[in-house]
Amino acid sequence: MSELDDLSVRQLLVRRRRLAAGLSAPERTLRGVLVHKGRRCSSEGCRCRSGELHGPYAYLAVYAGGRSRTIYVPQASEEAAAAHVELTQRNEALLQEISQINLELLRRRALE
Ligand SMILES: [Zn+2]
């Protein structure tokens, strides 16, 4: 990262500490993306068979172990799931930046 090149080790450590302080509630980590989609039911004559799908319903698209799957999110849990997902994305963006700083510290033989 060229932007980090311009910072001193001291500045990198300050920035790293500030980023780490921004992390919150790791117990709420929920990786995935919330999506909404309609679905077909199992009854033969239903309107959904002609394209008028039920829903939309909320699902959590999860990528793990090299494959992705979607998990139904009950309506009562949707708000909580959205909050968890948002917090997780914020934390992971911070962790990504922290990792870049640590990489830069490693390059400078300043990783402790
Ligand atoms: Zn149906």
Side-chain angles (χ1 to χ4, degrees), residues 39-43 46-49 52 54:
R39 46 169 272 212
R40 288 181 218 285
C41 70
S42 56
S43 73
C46 185
R47 59 186 167 83
C48 66
R49 296 295 162 128
E52 215 180 312
H54 301 281

Side-chain angles (χ1 to χ4, degrees), residues 28 30 34 60 73-74 76-88:
R28 289 177 173 247
L30 182 60
L34 271 183
L60 186 69
V73 178
S77 303
E78 197 178 330
E79 201 177 323
H84 280 62
V85 165
E86 194 188 316
L87 176 140
T88 302

Side-chain angles (χ1 to χ4, degrees), residues 21-80:
L23 291 168
S24 66
E27 73 275 15
R28 289 177 173 247
T29 299
L30 182 60
R31 290 184 175 140
V33 179
L34 271 183
V35 295
H36 292 85
K37 55 185 187 184
R39 46 169 272 212
R40 288 181 218 285
C41 70
S42 56
S43 73
E44 287 295 332
C46 185
R47 59 186 167 83
C48 66
R49 296 295 162 128
S50 52
E52 215 180 312
L53 301 179
H54 301 281
Y57 299 103
Y59 295 85
L60 186 69
V62 180
Y63 187 78
R67 66 191 198 102
S68 63
R69 59 202 171 108
T70 56
I71 295 145
Y72 174 65
V73 178
Q75 196 166 17
S77 303
E78 197 178 330
E79 201 177 323

Side-chain angles (χ1 to χ4, degrees), residues 44 58 65 98 107:
E44 287 295 332
I98 290 169
R107 281 194 197 102

